[in-house]
Amino acid sequence: MEKLLEELEILKKELDQSEIIQDIKKSNEEIQKEKELLEKIKKYQITQDEKLREEIIDNEKFRKYKKKENEINFLILEINQRLKKINPKGRKCQ
């Protein structure tokens, strides 16, 4: 059990330093600087205006971020599949 926890800690550190995580952090920082885009996103969350949605999607930085987000989601799926192989019956660790 201790060995598993150590391996998970190593994996977390490796993931945090991975290129994909660094890329999405950088992309997020770029979006945070785009005040107009952030305002559009906030407004869209309230109004669900389709025209506003298209304006958001047309933003290159937003598309770049969403692409990285998809890559991370695939990485999460891969990690989950590997964890199922380690613990196939979904038993909780004691």
Side-chain angles (χ1 to χ4, degrees), residues 10-23:
I10 290 169
L11 174 62
K12 287 193 297 187
K13 287 179 183 177
E14 288 176 5
L15 286 173
D16 193 45
Q17 295 172 358
S18 70
E19 183 178 342
I20 190 169
I21 299 298
Q22 295 303 314
D23 286 348

Side-chain angles (χ1 to χ4, degrees), residues 12-43:
K12 287 193 297 187
K13 287 179 183 177
E14 288 176 5
L15 286 173
D16 193 45
Q17 295 172 358
S18 70
E19 183 178 342
I20 190 169
I21 299 298
Q22 295 303 314
D23 286 348
I24 200 163
K25 285 180 178 180
K26 183 179 178 182
S27 184
N28 186 33
E29 289 171 2
E30 290 174 7
I31 287 177
Q32 294 302 316
K33 294 176 185 175
E34 296 286 323
K35 299 302 179 191
E36 185 177 325
L37 175 61
L38 292 175
E39 288 299 319
K40 287 180 181 181
I41 292 170
K42 287 178 186 177
K43 187 174 180 181

Side-chain angles (χ1 to χ4, degrees), residues 38-82:
L38 292 175
E39 288 299 319
K40 287 180 181 181
I41 292 170
K42 287 178 186 177
K43 187 174 180 181
Y44 175 75
Q45 290 173 336
I46 296 168
T47 65
Q48 301 291 306
D49 180 1
E50 192 61 31
K51 183 179 178 198
L52 193 54
R53 179 181 175 273
E54 290 175 18
E55 289 177 20
I56 294 167
I57 292 172
D58 284 343
N59 183 288
E60 183 66 31
K61 290 179 182 178
F62 182 80
R63 284 197 314 266
K64 180 180 172 185
Y65 177 84
K66 292 307 270 184
K67 182 179 177 187
K68 295 298 176 186
E69 184 179 66
N70 285 337
E71 291 175 17
I72 288 177
N73 286 333
F74 285 121
L75 179 61
I76 290 168
L77 286 173
E78 183 181 333
I79 290 169
N80 285 338
Q81 289 174 344
R82 290 183 182 184

